[in-house]
């Protein structure tokens, strides 16, 4: 059994993917070919944003977004420590300082009630992460941002396809950033990402930054880099978008089946009534995690930890000063979370098998 089975999906779209890749090989515009504009158009339409600008990864989407907002050394960016390294890495790469705020233990997302006390005159951006595919509370976050004149950069690497109060993720802040890493809810067959915004000016800056700050060829008006999405990956993403709505439905059905099987024995994902999760991960909480994981592994059931070490405890950041923020909820949950195999094509019998063995593993650990 695979943790995320991408081959089942490929079997469904094989012909379409091959013919779209062939088309790119025939026209030969491997860099910034016509499929780039085509997929950007489809992506913008999907999330109801005015602009979608593809880039070479989710990490670059965050970096380019912060660059477009003019983030500089000594600026501060408020974010969560309960996330993948890329979130704070991009802040630090620009010489700015990630200021960590603890999470709401139910949703695992940044707790808006704790943001205000972290704001200083140096704060420029709030960067929430929509962990496991569920959006943070953007009404509360945007209200604070408006009051203090801050930007909101949505780390939507795990939440393309999720909704918040009937609005689409990637379009809930100043700039939304997503990833097309193969295992994300909408993945390509390599690295990729995109920035989304309704702001014409920012869209223009992002477009320039991803291509060496060029306005016209060899005229470089701003500091940029090579952060372009490959044409072949754009072609693949177009094929994937055709089945995405169906996959959104299948994902929520798989989650519902897990919920029914597991709600009595573990803490299942808590999804706010105003949210729909895209379940980038289906993550439960268990005590004795290492033992439970080992018991499942014996049955051939892979599990994963997202993420075992909160970012303020990572060696790369340990030399920095983090202040005295209480990040105990992130620290505690990092010892308990465990993600189960999850993809749209997980069968009923697989869900039953995984659930049954998870139950047994937990019960036997309780007794012993
Ligand atoms: C995957 C991920 C990223 C980075 O995306 P890449 O495409 O792998 O660079 C950033 N933030 C979060 C929360 C992620 O899960």
């Amino acid at each position: 059994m695979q943790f995320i089975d991408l081959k089942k999906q490929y079997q469904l779209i094989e012909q379409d993917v091959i013919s779209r890749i062939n088309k790119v090989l025939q026209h030969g515009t491997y860099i910034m070919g016509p499929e780039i504009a085509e997929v950007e158009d489809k992506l913008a339409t999907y999330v109801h944003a005015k602009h979608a600008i593809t880039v070479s990864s989710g990490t670059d989407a965050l970096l380019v977004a912060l660059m477009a907002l003019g983030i500089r050394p000594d600026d501060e960016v408020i974010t969560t420590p309960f996330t993948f390294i890329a979130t704070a890495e991009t802040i630090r790469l620009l010489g700015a300082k990630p200021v960590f705020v603890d999470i709401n233990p139910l949703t695992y997302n940044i707790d808006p009630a704790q943001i205000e006390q972290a704001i200083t005159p140096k704060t420029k951006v709030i960067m929430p992460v929509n962990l496991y595919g569920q959006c943070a509370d953007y009404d509360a976050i945007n209200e604070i941002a408006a009051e203090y004149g801050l930007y909101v950069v949505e780390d939507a690497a795990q939440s393309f396809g999720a909704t918040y109060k009937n609005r689409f993720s990637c379009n809930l802040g100043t700039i939304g950033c997503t990833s097309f890493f193969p295992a994300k809810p909408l993945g390509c067959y390599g690295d990729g990402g995109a920035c989304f915004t309704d702001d014409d000016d920012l869209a223009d800056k992002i477009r320039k930054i991803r291509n060496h700050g060029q306005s016209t060829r060899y005229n470089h008006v701003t500091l940029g880099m090579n952060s372009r999405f490959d044409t072949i990956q754009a072609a693949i993403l177009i094929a994937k978008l055709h089945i995405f709505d169906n996959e959104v439905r299948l994902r929520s059905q798989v989650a519902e089946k897990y919920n029914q099987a597991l709600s009595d024995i573990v803490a299942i994902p808590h999804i706010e009534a105003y949210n729909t999760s895209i379940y980038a991960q289906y993550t439960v909480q268990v005590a004795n995690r290492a033992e439970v994981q080992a018991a499942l592994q014996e049955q051939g059931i892979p599990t994963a930890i997202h993420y075992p070490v909160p970012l303020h405890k990572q060696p790369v950041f340990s030399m920095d000063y983090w202040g005295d923020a209480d990040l105990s909820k992130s620290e505690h949950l990092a010892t308990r979370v465990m993600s189960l195999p999850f993809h749209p094509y997980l069968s009923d019998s697989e869900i039953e098998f995984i659930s049954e063995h998870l139950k047994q593993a937990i019960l036997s650990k309780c007794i012993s």
Side-chain angles (χ1 to χ4, degrees):
M1 185 186 305
Q2 304 258 326
F3 186 68
I4 297 177
D5 191 338
L6 292 169
K7 285 192 195 126
K8 283 194 183 151
Q9 182 198 51
Y10 182 62
Q11 284 161 9
L12 296 176
I13 54 175
E14 186 171 358
Q15 285 317 313
D16 194 26
V17 167
I18 288 173
S19 82
R20 285 176 192 279
I21 290 176
N22 267 331
K23 215 169 125 199
V24 177
L25 296 177
Q26 295 301 323
H27 71 54
T29 311
Y30 307 125
I31 303 295
M32 299 305 283
E35 285 80 2
I36 295 289
E38 186 183 344
V39 80
E40 287 179 345
D41 204 48
K42 289 185 195 297
L43 290 166
T45 302
Y46 193 91
V47 308
H48 302 280
K50 196 163 171 197
H51 304 279
I53 305 106
T54 53
V55 291
S56 55
S57 70
T59 306
D60 269 13
L62 293 168
L63 185 62
V64 168
L66 292 174
M67 286 170 78
L69 293 171
I71 298 311
R72 303 166 46 87
D74 294 328
D75 287 343
E76 292 180 3
V77 177
I78 292 176
T79 190
T80 159
F82 203 62
T83 178
F84 181 58
I85 187 73
T87 310
E89 190 178 46
T90 55
I91 298 166
R92 208 72 192 106
L93 277 171
L94 294 174
K97 178 182 165 187
V99 174
F100 294 119
V101 164
D102 212 1
I103 54 173
N104 170 340
L106 289 176
T107 63
Y108 307 104
N109 286 328
I110 193 167
D111 178 4
Q114 297 184 53
I115 290 177
E116 216 161 344
Q117 68 206 38
I119 294 174
T120 76
K122 293 179 173 179
T123 309
K124 296 282 156 49
V125 173
I126 306 172
M127 190 191 277
V129 177
N130 306 327
L131 205 73
Y132 307 148
Q134 169 170 225
C135 292
D137 187 357
Y138 283 89
D139 279 356
I141 293 164
N142 286 329
E143 194 179 314
I144 297 165
E147 193 180 329
Y148 289 88
L150 310 175
Y151 301 115
V152 175
V153 173
E154 186 189 349
D155 183 343
Q158 300 186 10
S159 60
F160 185 91
T163 63
Y164 169 82
K165 300 186 180 174
N166 296 317
R167 293 160 55 202
F168 280 91
S169 176
C170 297
N171 193 25
L172 300 172
T174 318
I175 303 175
C177 301
T178 199
S179 163
F180 305 128
F181 181 81
K184 306 282 178 171
L186 177 66
C188 58
Y189 292 151
D191 279 305
C195 295
F196 298 82
T197 185
D198 284 341
D199 185 311
D200 297 343
D201 224 41
L202 281 174
D204 184 54
K205 281 185 183 147
I206 292 167
R207 269 197 194 96
K208 288 192 177 101
I209 292 168
R210 78 157 165 200
N211 196 15
H212 298 296
Q214 279 191 156
S215 54
T216 54
R217 194 159 203 196
Y218 301 133
N219 186 40
H220 306 275
V221 294
T222 186
L223 199 60
M225 56 187 182
N226 175 356
S227 195
R228 299 173 303 241
F229 190 41
D230 287 341
T231 308
I232 283 182
Q233 297 301 339
I236 292 163
L237 209 57
I238 292 167
K240 295 262 202 144
L241 270 167
H242 285 156
I243 57 164
F244 189 66
D245 277 333
N246 192 46
E247 291 193 340
V248 172
R249 269 191 297 277
L250 293 173
R251 281 176 171 277
S252 92
Q253 284 169 14
V254 170
E256 195 44 52
K257 286 170 191 163
Y258 263 142
N259 288 346
Q260 279 177 11
L262 297 175
S263 62
D264 288 345
I265 55 158
V266 286
I268 58 169
H270 170 94
I271 308 303
E272 299 287 1
Y274 51 72
N275 275 334
T276 61
S277 178
I278 193 71
Y279 294 100
Q281 305 297 343
Y282 185 92
T283 304
V284 298
Q285 288 177 36
V286 287
N288 305 326
R289 183 173 63 191
E291 292 161 78
V292 172
Q293 279 192 290
L296 291 175
Q297 192 56 58
E298 261 172 44
Q299 301 297 326
I301 301 169
T303 53
I305 311 302
H306 304 97
Y307 295 91
V309 181
L311 297 194
H312 62 289
K313 299 281 190 190
Q314 287 288 352
V316 64
F317 291 144
S318 63
M319 298 301 285
D320 294 292
Y321 171 68
W322 303 117
D324 50 10
D326 175 4
L327 303 171
S328 55
K329 294 193 174 73
S330 299
E331 288 164 16
H332 175 62
L333 288 167
T335 67
R336 295 178 55 86
V337 291
M338 184 181 79
S339 304
L340 299 177
F342 193 94
H343 57 85
Y345 308 104
L346 203 62
S347 69
D348 287 1
S349 61
E350 285 173 311
I351 296 169
E352 248 169 66
F353 181 77
I354 296 161
S355 303
E356 209 38 58
H357 284 289
L358 177 57
K359 260 182 218 176
Q360 279 178 27
I362 287 172
L363 291 177
S364 70
K365 299 304 163 204
C366 288
I367 291 160
S368 63

